[in-house]
Amino acid sequence: MWDWNYVFDILPELLSALKMTVWVTLCAFVVALIIGLLLAFAARSQWKPVSLMTKGIIEFIRNTPLLVQVFFLYYSLPLLTGISIPAFYAGVIGLGLHYSTYLSEVYRSGIEGVPKGQWEAATALNYTKAQTWRSIILPQAVPPIIPVLGNYLIVMFKETPILCAITLVEMMLTAKNIVSQSFRAFEPYTLVGILFLIISYIASLLVQRLEKRMNLQRGK
Amino acid sequence: MNAVVIDAFAGAEVPQPDPNPAAEVKPMVRYKGVTKSFGDLQVLKGIDLEMQPGEKVAVIGPSGSGKTTMGRMLMTLEEPTEGTIEVDGELLWHMQEKGRLVRANEKHLHRMRCSVGMVFQHFNLFPHMSVLRNVTEAPRKVLGLSKEEAEERAVSMLGKVGLDDKLKMYPANLSGGQKQRVAIARALVMRPKVMVFDEVTSALDPELVGEVLEVIREIAEEGDMAMMLITHEMDFAKEIADRVIFGADGLIVEQGTPEEIFDNPRSERLQNFLQRFRSN
């Protein structure tokens, strides 16, 4: 049933698709990190309309399926605006934007973990708001949340098969194409699963080590 | 000389230039009818207080009497509900706009804060920075000093508090007394005209209190900076303060020289307070 020759035949194609999968994940993660931070700032705004609107946007994005969102970006947005986005960018924006709403929550917990006295000391030394964020608050808020951010990176990686729905040639779509030519489904899909497992497992080990190191640093 | 007018609820009117030209020394700090409410709770009920340049004022009183709130207002950490505060002749929390008194914007507060410094009960050192960087960061970022200038200033200030051998250490590795001395150096290096010391020894182990008070005593002796010492250390207040303020229930109940306050308390509240303190 399991044909090793067939496996070695299709492996190179799947591995090159794996590169695309990792690349789209990393790009989307950077988008999520940046937009997530901006959302966290905006949600804290003292100006009520901004914070309320931001919280509304966050709820909206979280409570609609990612698949619907990437469909909208790839198929509907061009109809509405006349601008069509290549599948790769639609995937990066869709995945990044979706997870930015979760990361904004992670940032929030990190920011709220910084004691109030740190803000007061910064005020007493006459730091501007921007200086306070840059040199006092974020350097203390971010290190404790790095492991959580790492876990989200892994979750995003495992979500990439959704992007095969907008014709992004990542691992899942590559496997599907192979299956549609050879009519053998067992090996390609199993291989995709194994490749996901290997990468995710290695990444989670790295996150665990990072977490241990962070704990050591904070406990010193 | 202690021109304190008990004029509660003076309101937020535009302060007129002093009509009395004989008052040549203008006060460094002036609270006028200052109140503060947190929700339904009124913690300050009308404070009028002046501090002269270089004057050391100790503020004593039972917990919950609004002492700390008074200091925090001067550091712009708490906004007065009513009344005005002036620093060096200029309104702190208000500014003139088209002849009307309006709430100060961030730019105004930023400018005013140059004159004020504060040392906190819980130190509030930056844990992610070395001792040296704790003290150099603000002079570089806020005052725009070069790295060399900032470090020179910081090292000499850390020398003054006896910690110039700990430049590379992190706050987590210091004792409470050392942390507080770094915090004092960090505030001093900005060269404020008035500094608030908010119960700076209350969080310290008893055996570490002395070293911090010693440092403050030395700073006080240098003389040119006005100091508001919010404290429970009565002996210390008696020794270094020019004037002592006794506050209770959100009002200034009594004030005078250390001798007047500690040796001849007039009000019953102060007498009770001191008695309770001595019996502890």
Side-chain angles (χ1 to χ4, degrees):
Chain A
M1 219 164 106
W2 179 268
D3 182 351
W4 281 106
N5 287 331
Y6 180 50
V7 167
F8 289 117
D9 254 12
I10 61 173
L11 196 56
E13 209 178 334
L14 284 176
L15 282 176
S16 83
L18 173 63
K19 266 196 275 182
M20 173 53 105
T21 304
V22 169
W23 181 233
V24 77
T25 308
L26 290 177
C27 290
F29 187 59
V30 170
V31 168
L33 282 176
I34 294 168
I35 297 183
L37 185 60
L38 295 178
L39 287 175
F41 284 151
R44 287 178 57 94
S45 170
Q46 284 166 356
W47 204 39
K48 274 277 171 299
V50 172
S51 72
L52 283 178
M53 213 173 72
T54 310
K55 283 171 189 162
I57 291 170
I58 290 174
E59 284 306 314
F60 178 78
I61 294 179
R62 275 197 196 182
N63 290 307
T64 41
L66 176 57
L67 185 58
V68 175
Q69 287 166 8
V70 291
F71 270 156
F72 182 84
L73 276 174
Y74 190 64
Y75 294 113
S76 311
L77 207 58
L79 296 178
L80 291 172
T81 61
I83 309 162
S84 72
I85 313 170
F88 179 78
Y89 293 107
V92 166
I93 295 169
L95 194 61
L97 199 60
H98 190 81
Y99 277 91
S100 71
T101 60
Y102 292 94
L103 293 197
S104 77
E105 195 60 23
V106 178
Y107 280 119
R108 189 189 61 82
S109 73
I111 291 163
E112 284 177 3
V114 178
K116 212 171 132 244
Q118 295 291 310
W119 290 91
E120 297 187 343
T123 303
L125 292 167
N126 212 359
Y127 282 75
T128 63
K129 274 266 145 44
Q131 286 167 338
T132 305
W133 278 109
R134 258 203 322 271
S135 51
I136 311 298
I137 304 304
L138 288 179
Q140 293 184 70
V142 171
I145 60 169
I146 286 175
V148 187
L149 295 176
N151 284 330
Y152 270 106
L153 176 63
I154 296 170
V155 171
M156 286 171 75
F157 175 64
K158 289 188 298 182
E159 285 276 38
T160 51
I162 278 187
L163 302 181
C164 77
I166 55 165
T167 72
L168 181 74
V169 190
E170 42 66 68
M171 268 202 295
M172 197 61 187
L173 190 56
T174 308
K176 243 166 123 179
N177 290 342
I178 293 169
V179 172
S180 69
Q181 280 165 18
S182 65
F183 299 104
R184 301 184 56 137
F186 185 33
E187 290 91 344
Y189 289 140
T190 310
L191 275 176
V192 167
I194 291 170
L195 288 172
F196 266 109
L197 179 70
I198 292 170
I199 301 285
S200 300
Y201 184 64
I202 292 170
S204 73
L205 286 181
L206 287 174
V207 170
Q208 271 176 36
R209 273 188 53 181
L210 200 66
E211 197 170 357
K212 264 191 202 139
R213 250 199 19 217
M214 309 289 331
N215 286 342
L216 272 177
Q217 259 174 21
R218 268 182 294 158
K220 76 175 178 190
Chain B
M1 64 167 197
N2 303 326
V4 173
V5 193
I6 306 294
D7 173 22
F9 306 108
E13 62 214 8
V14 178
Q16 299 302 313
D18 202 327
N20 179 10
E24 63 277 338
V25 184
K26 62 178 179 181
M28 179 52 66
V29 175
R30 180 190 275 160
Y31 288 69
K32 257 185 172 170
V34 172
T35 72
K36 178 68 188 179
S37 302
F38 294 104
D40 289 335
L41 182 72
Q42 195 176 33
V43 292
L44 291 178
K45 297 171 180 164
I47 298 293
D48 294 277
L49 168 70
E50 283 186 9
M51 285 171 69
Q52 304 308 321
E55 192 181 18
K56 321 301 181 222
V57 175
V59 183
I60 60 168
S63 324
S65 59
K67 306 185 297 284
T68 288
T69 307
M70 234 172 86
R72 288 170 57 83
M73 284 176 164
L74 190 56
M75 191 62 261
T76 70
L77 296 172
E78 218 83 72
E79 189 173 356
T81 308
E82 299 166 282
T84 58
I85 300 174
E86 284 168 51
V87 175
D88 209 7
E90 217 178 327
L91 286 169
L92 180 65
W93 277 104
H94 302 81
M95 54 187 211
Q96 301 257 21
E97 206 178 75
K98 295 174 193 140
R100 277 181 50 232
L101 214 53
V102 297
R103 191 179 181 277
N105 58 21
E106 191 50 42
K107 199 177 143 204
H108 177 87
L109 288 174
H110 186 74
R111 191 167 53 80
M112 294 302 291
R113 276 197 288 259
C114 292
S115 309
V116 189
M118 182 159 176
V119 182
F120 298 88
Q121 180 176 355
H122 295 287
F123 332 126
N124 300 347
L125 289 181
F126 303 132
H128 58 301
M129 296 181 189
S130 68
V131 165
L132 182 64
R133 238 189 101 205
N134 259 284
V135 186
T136 53
E137 181 90 351
R140 289 187 63 189
K141 291 246 158 79
V142 179
L143 304 180
L145 298 191
S146 73
K147 189 165 183 265
E148 292 72 29
E149 285 174 299
E151 285 186 356
E152 199 185 303
R153 238 199 234 194
V155 170
S156 98
M157 204 53 86
L158 283 164
K160 207 181 259 182
V161 300
L163 288 171
D164 47 353
D165 56 337
K166 303 254 187 301
L167 301 181
K168 292 212 172 92
M169 290 182 81
Y170 280 80
N173 300 320
L174 300 177
S175 74
Q178 290 170 332
K179 280 182 201 167
Q180 194 59 294
R181 286 188 279 150
V182 173
I184 290 170
R186 184 179 69 171
L188 277 178
V189 86
M190 301 299 280
R191 300 189 178 157
K193 294 178 189 155
V194 53
M195 188 126 106
V196 180
F197 292 82
D198 182 20
E199 303 194 21
V200 294
T201 57
S202 299
L204 297 177
D205 293 333
E207 73 271 19
L208 301 175
V209 169
E211 62 186 74
V212 172
L213 293 185
E214 187 52 46
V215 164
I216 297 175
R217 181 178 298 123
E218 275 166 35
I219 298 163
E221 274 162 15
E222 282 175 22
D224 41 3
M225 184 176 69
M227 290 162 67
M228 179 188 280
L229 297 141
I230 299 157
T231 185
H232 290 293
E233 303 283 335
M234 297 302 153
D235 295 333
F236 181 66
K238 189 172 180 178
E239 183 191 344
I240 75 161
D242 300 317
R243 184 152 55 101
V244 180
I245 308 258
F246 171 65
D249 296 331
L251 288 167
I252 292 175
V253 175
E254 196 169 332
Q255 60 176 306
T257 62
E259 292 73 30
E260 286 168 351
I261 292 293
F262 293 110
D263 303 336
N264 298 301
R266 295 187 303 268
S267 64
E268 202 177 326
R269 291 227 49 173
L270 178 54
Q271 285 161 10
N272 289 341
F273 174 74
L274 291 174
Q275 206 154 39
R276 225 183 15 250
F277 228 91
R278 279 177 191 133
S279 60
N280 276 346

